[in-house]
Amino acid sequence: KEKVKITKEQQALMKVVVEAYNRHQIPQDVAKKLLQEQYSEEENFLLLTEMATSQVQVLVEFTKNIPGFLSLNHEDQIALLKGSAVEAMFLRSAQVFSRKMPNGHTEVLEERIRKSGISEEFMTPMFNFYKSIGELHMMQEEQALLTAIAILTPDRPYVKDQQAVERLQEPMLDVLRKLCVLQHPQEPQYFARLLGRLTELRTLNHYHAEMLTSWRMNDHKFTPLLCEIWDVE
Ligand SMILES: O=C(NC1CCCCC1)[C@H](C1CCCCC1)n1c(-c2ccc(CO)cc2)nc2ccccc21
């Protein structure tokens, strides 16, 4: 059985990515707000656009810290950010949802989200994803690396130099695979399950624009940044 070992360079790569991931966090905690009180559908939509806008800003800062990202072609940098923003938002939402909370709080949070204004048809795929992320009990290193891997997806629309993106994504995949083997020795399929979540994330991409436009309210207002990065308005 070959002994899996994380090299010095891989340790350094992981440290940079995890520190950037932890440094760039959403300022205030949306779960706490949602648990505090019930908001109207309009207030919930506004809360989402505010949270999502600050998350995009955080995502850009995190991405700039991914080794090699800033040496990519500039249009490709934009294409990668645009292509991964919704996935990064759902990944972060899933992590917020599956965080350990006092008894009964997760149920209240789920109820508040179900009643937030999102139309019924999107609840199942969204909560299936949240629960499948929760079951993985991911460590923060895994969360940070999985987010970086999602951002560095070579086959996003309009990416010109896919090989350059692959050269950045591969070392991330390597260190994540080793980390999974070392952290979950009794679960050889754990790494594959993590990557399977990225496939599930892509399906949420398709639903996203419709989830917003079908939000139970009229006159959906977005920030300029969200109009740029989401295919809305
Ligand atoms: O604010 C949020 N998410 C932020 C986003 C930036 C990163 C941190 C989380 C929203 C809530 C906004 C207010 C109404 C209730 C949902 N949310 C969603 C969510 C996100 C997007 C859509 C539409 O595409 C639908 C739902 N899932 C959540 C799971 C847990 C906690 C909040 C969660």
Side-chain angles (χ1 to χ4, degrees):
K1 195 167 148 5
E2 115 273 358
K3 186 92 193 69
V4 165
K5 193 183 169 316
I6 294 184
T7 67
K8 283 264 165 292
E9 306 82 48
Q10 289 178 318
Q11 288 277 10
L13 175 66
M14 194 157 49
K15 190 166 179 297
V16 165
V17 171
V18 171
E19 277 171 1
Y21 188 73
N22 291 337
R23 189 167 50 243
H24 303 304
Q25 288 289 357
I26 305 273
Q28 106 254 35
D29 185 337
V30 63
K32 205 175 286 144
K33 274 183 94 99
L34 288 168
L35 288 165
Q36 261 156 5
E37 61 179 289
Q38 184 105 21
Y39 295 98
S40 73
E41 285 155 352
E42 283 74 8
E43 287 164 333
N44 276 319
F45 191 80
L46 180 65
L47 181 56
L48 168 64
T49 54
E50 285 167 354
M51 294 308 296
T53 299
S54 73
Q55 195 260 347
V56 169
Q57 289 155 346
V58 152
L59 179 74
V60 170
E61 288 316 304
F62 169 62
T63 307
K64 282 159 64 177
N65 285 275
I66 295 176
F69 183 82
L70 293 176
S71 341
L72 291 171
N73 166 295
H74 282 215
E75 281 85 40
D76 284 356
Q77 292 180 29
I78 300 296
L80 292 178
L81 275 168
K82 194 167 168 12
S84 63
V86 170
E87 292 179 16
M89 179 195 63
F90 276 121
L91 199 48
R92 172 63 72 189
S93 296
Q95 285 149 8
V96 171
F97 185 78
S98 37
R99 220 168 26 205
K100 188 85 195 83
M101 282 189 268
N103 279 349
H105 282 218
T106 303
E107 289 69 22
V108 171
L109 181 58
E110 176 161 348
E111 208 35 48
R112 293 275 156 86
I113 295 169
R114 286 187 182 279
K115 292 203 168 66
S116 62
I118 305 164
S119 61
E120 201 48 45
E121 65 194 288
F122 304 115
M123 291 299 167
T124 310
M126 190 174 73
F127 282 109
N128 283 351
F129 176 68
Y130 292 171
K131 286 168 186 164
S132 65
I133 287 284
E135 281 155 15
L136 290 168
H137 302 293
M138 287 167 68
M139 300 161 44
Q140 61 172 6
E141 289 84 354
E142 292 162 348
Q143 289 180 17
L145 288 167
L146 197 67
T147 305
I149 288 163
I151 294 163
L152 297 171
T153 299
D155 62 341
R156 294 293 186 197
Y158 316 112
V159 171
K160 292 191 289 287
D161 188 352
Q162 294 199 9
Q163 282 72 21
V165 182
E166 270 163 30
R167 280 195 295 274
L168 296 184
Q169 191 192 45
E170 261 147 36
M172 300 279 180
L173 284 163
D174 267 352
V175 67
L176 180 60
R177 182 179 46 76
K178 287 185 179 180
L179 194 69
C180 291
V181 168
L182 292 170
Q183 302 290 345
H184 307 267
Q186 76 291 359
E187 216 187 327
Q189 294 314 317
Y190 184 81
F191 177 59
R193 286 177 63 201
L194 270 192
L195 298 189
R197 300 287 71 81
L198 292 184
T199 312
E200 203 177 340
L201 256 184
R202 286 193 177 214
T203 59
L204 286 175
N205 253 336
H206 298 311
Y207 293 127
H208 178 63
E210 217 191 318
M211 279 170 90
L212 297 168
T213 50
S214 65
W215 202 282
R216 280 192 306 275
M217 66 184 278
N218 33 44
D219 187 24
H220 304 76
K221 282 213 168 325
F222 299 97
T223 61
L225 179 58
L226 291 183
C227 291
E228 276 297 306
I229 207 130
W230 289 350
D231 299 324
V232 285
E233 205 162 54

